[in-house]
Amino acid sequence: MEEQQRRALRRGRARLVAALRVEPLWDPLEQRGLFTRPMLEELQSAGSRGEQARQLIIDLETRGKQAFPAFLSILRDTGQGDLAEMLIQECESRPVLPQLPDLRPVELELREEKQCKRLPFLTGIVSCWIRQQALGIRGSLIVTCPCQVYEMKADPCGHCLILNNVNFSRDSGLSTREGSDIDCEKLERRFKALRFTVLTRRDLKAQEMVLELQKLSRQDHSALDCCIVVILSHGCQTSHIQFPGGVYGTDGKPIPIEKIVNYFNGSNCPSLRGKPKLFFIQACGGEQRDQGFVVDCASPEDEAPGGSLESDATPFRVPSGNVDEPDAIASLPTPSDILVSYSTFPGFVSWREKLSGSWYVEMLDSVLEQYAHSEDLLGMLLRVADAVSAKGRYKQMPGCFNFLRRNFFFVC
């Protein structure tokens, strides 16, 4: 579902909860393919009519691009056309621009950086702010000096390695990660469009994953500006000093995120010194399920999500034999120019749909598509966190460990 449609549902939620007749909707929602029967049964068990309506509106945001027009059609077919028109008006509404004071261009001297001299840029700030408001972009305007931005002039920008684990050995006790191939295809297309050389490896054992990571870290990145690693797998909690969490190979053996990141630090990968190294982890950080907190109705009952929703959570198991302990680390310098983006808060599960992929990757791909040519990475990750946190009956909160020294933009 597009962001504008999500905003319309959120702005109209109070009226929908108060007036929506949910009983006539169940059969059309199933017939249109928006919800499966088990999902509808779970919605019907949410409590009162108002609670059912509220949860239905929240879950609609995760149903894909055709969900909004299909829902409008169902409302009209069930005699609730006034609510459909209200949503259309919300969707078409635009924020009103506030009055700007009379501003004149001034010159500001930036003394901290020798390369940055007198810049007559206030006019640019104002015009950029106006453009933000016209596009409906919320939030503060961050103005940065050019010397505080990572250089991204190489073509290709760098390498992107995607490790996609779907099928796990029977002995591992880990389930098949249905929907992960959808995530993988989305990110392959997205990072290729952002001028990265993409290499995908599927269904690797833990040691095979390590070999691929080491192979990438030992390459010569001198002519490149960046490096990206994406891991799609089951995950767990681990002991750590720098970066929490671990991911599983298809043989059920865990690899600490800390160990993965340190293959690319300044000591182990000299050709990436001073260059941004980005890690995107779609895996659980533990087994806790977040029910959120009360906003405008009682918390939902402690029930597992229905339909095709799955988590990537597995209990942490200490390996035996001569395998490295998950909390083992080398004596390394403090990491710099590194960002690790997690799909969920440490200790909590990460949700994945069989038919549409994981919540985190779906939102990451959507945000990169819309904003990668105009916003910095941290701003985009805030958008991803906000969108994912609003999804579903159970909650998920993405976050990141940021050791970047400058602002990162995917384009120069």
Side-chain angles (χ1 to χ4, degrees), residues 3 31 38 41 73 75 84 90 93 104 111 135 160 183 206 230 240 246 251 265 279 286 289 314 326:
E3 184 60 32
Q31 292 165 3
E41 290 174 353
S73 176
L75 287 177
E90 291 287 356
S93 64
R104 296 181 180 180
R111 302 178 184 275
L135 293 174
C160 172
D183 287 345
V230 179
H240 66 280
D251 53 358
N265 66 21
F279 300 82
R289 294 181 176 183
T314 59

Side-chain angles (χ1 to χ4, degrees), residues 233-337:
S233 189
H234 283 297
C236 62
Q237 288 179 282
T238 64
S239 300
H240 66 280
I241 294 176
Q242 297 169 341
F243 300 96
V247 291
Y248 283 107
T250 57
D251 53 358
K253 295 179 180 179
I255 309 170
I257 301 299
E258 197 163 272
K259 184 175 181 179
I260 292 170
V261 171
N262 282 334
Y263 288 134
F264 298 86
N265 66 21
S267 294
N268 293 325
C269 188
S271 63
L272 279 174
R273 286 177 183 167
K275 300 177 181 181
K277 297 161 279 284
L278 313 178
F279 300 82
F280 298 92
I281 312 297
Q282 167 52 45
C284 281
E287 298 181 273
Q288 297 186 60
R289 294 181 176 183
D290 184 5
Q291 293 190 17
F293 54 89
V294 177
V295 179
D296 55 6
C297 72
S299 297
E301 297 176 4
D302 187 11
E303 297 175 359
S308 62
L309 197 60
E310 297 182 343
S311 81
D312 284 326
T314 59
F316 170 62
R317 300 189 299 277
V318 178
S320 58
N322 296 322
V323 181
D324 288 344
E325 291 293 331
D327 58 346
I329 60 167
S331 178
L332 299 171
T334 302
S336 63
D337 306 292

Side-chain angles (χ1 to χ4, degrees), residues 83-335:
L83 296 179
E85 293 305 314
M86 179 270 294
L87 287 175
I88 292 173
Q89 291 175 10
E90 291 287 356
C91 197
E92 293 176 347
S93 64
R94 293 288 187 273
V96 179
L97 295 179
Q99 294 272 334
L100 280 176
D102 184 18
L103 297 175
R104 296 181 180 180
V106 298
E107 290 188 348
L108 298 181
E109 185 174 357
L110 304 181
R111 302 178 184 275
E112 294 184 0
E113 296 285 350
K114 293 181 180 179
Q115 300 93 328
C116 297
K117 299 183 179 179
R118 298 169 66 84
L119 301 175
F121 65 98
L122 186 56
T123 302
I125 294 176
V126 175
S127 63
C128 184
W129 182 86
I130 294 173
R131 180 172 176 270
Q132 269 194 317
Q133 301 303 313
L135 293 174
I137 301 174
R138 297 182 179 181
S140 306
L141 176 63
I142 300 174
V143 181
T144 61
C145 171
C147 48
Q148 294 176 332
V149 177
Y150 284 107
E151 186 175 86
M152 291 289 287
K153 294 182 179 179
D155 193 3
C157 298
H159 295 299
C160 172
L161 174 64
I162 302 177
L163 302 181
N164 178 29
N165 287 343
V166 180
N167 302 297
F168 293 77
S169 67
R170 185 174 301 176
D171 295 339
S172 71
L174 301 173
S175 61
T176 301
R177 298 184 62 256
E178 297 183 61
S180 187
D181 285 332
I182 297 172
D183 287 345
C184 186
E185 291 169 5
K186 288 178 181 176
L187 295 180
E188 282 178 338
R189 289 194 300 270
R190 184 60 49 214
F191 288 119
K192 285 179 181 177
L194 293 172
R195 302 184 6 253
F196 283 82
T197 301
V198 178
L199 175 65
T200 301
R201 290 287 183 260
R202 192 176 191 269
D203 291 347
L204 299 184
K205 297 178 181 178
Q207 187 57 33
E208 293 172 333
M209 294 173 69
V210 167
L211 291 175
E212 287 292 338
L213 292 161
Q214 290 178 332
K215 181 179 177 181
L216 177 61
S217 70
R218 291 167 182 167
Q219 290 187 33
D220 184 4
H221 301 262
S222 301
L224 306 174
D225 292 331
C226 180
C227 184
I228 294 177
V229 173
V230 179
I231 300 181
L232 313 171
S233 189
H234 283 297
C236 62
Q237 288 179 282
T238 64
S239 300
H240 66 280
I241 294 176
Q242 297 169 341
F243 300 96
V247 291
Y248 283 107
T250 57
D251 53 358
K253 295 179 180 179
I255 309 170
I257 301 299
E258 197 163 272
K259 184 175 181 179
I260 292 170
V261 171
N262 282 334
Y263 288 134
F264 298 86
N265 66 21
S267 294
N268 293 325
C269 188
S271 63
L272 279 174
R273 286 177 183 167
K275 300 177 181 181
K277 297 161 279 284
L278 313 178
F279 300 82
F280 298 92
I281 312 297
Q282 167 52 45
C284 281
E287 298 181 273
Q288 297 186 60
R289 294 181 176 183
D290 184 5
Q291 293 190 17
F293 54 89
V294 177
V295 179
D296 55 6
C297 72
S299 297
E301 297 176 4
D302 187 11
E303 297 175 359
S308 62
L309 197 60
E310 297 182 343
S311 81
D312 284 326
T314 59
F316 170 62
R317 300 189 299 277
V318 178
S320 58
N322 296 322
V323 181
D324 288 344
E325 291 293 331
D327 58 346
I329 60 167
S331 178
L332 299 171
T334 302

Side-chain angles (χ1 to χ4, degrees), residues 324-379:
D324 288 344
E325 291 293 331
D327 58 346
I329 60 167
S331 178
L332 299 171
T334 302
S336 63
D337 306 292
I338 286 173
L339 181 140
V340 182
S341 174
Y342 291 87
S343 63
T344 190
F345 193 81
F348 287 83
V349 300
S350 182
W351 297 111
R352 171 174 35 82
E353 299 271 2
K354 293 180 181 179
L355 299 180
S356 58
S358 65
W359 293 357
Y360 167 74
V361 172
E362 179 187 19
M363 291 299 104
L364 177 63
D365 176 59
S366 176
V367 168
L368 288 175
E369 180 182 20
Q370 296 178 68
Y371 302 106
H373 294 280
S374 60
E375 291 191 12
D376 74 295
L377 179 58
L378 289 178

Side-chain angles (χ1 to χ4, degrees), residues 27-36 39 63 67 70 74 355:
D27 289 339
L29 287 171
E30 182 181 14
Q31 292 165 3
R32 296 289 186 94
L34 297 183
F35 292 89
T36 64
M39 294 167 112
R63 296 297 97 195
I74 292 172
L355 299 180

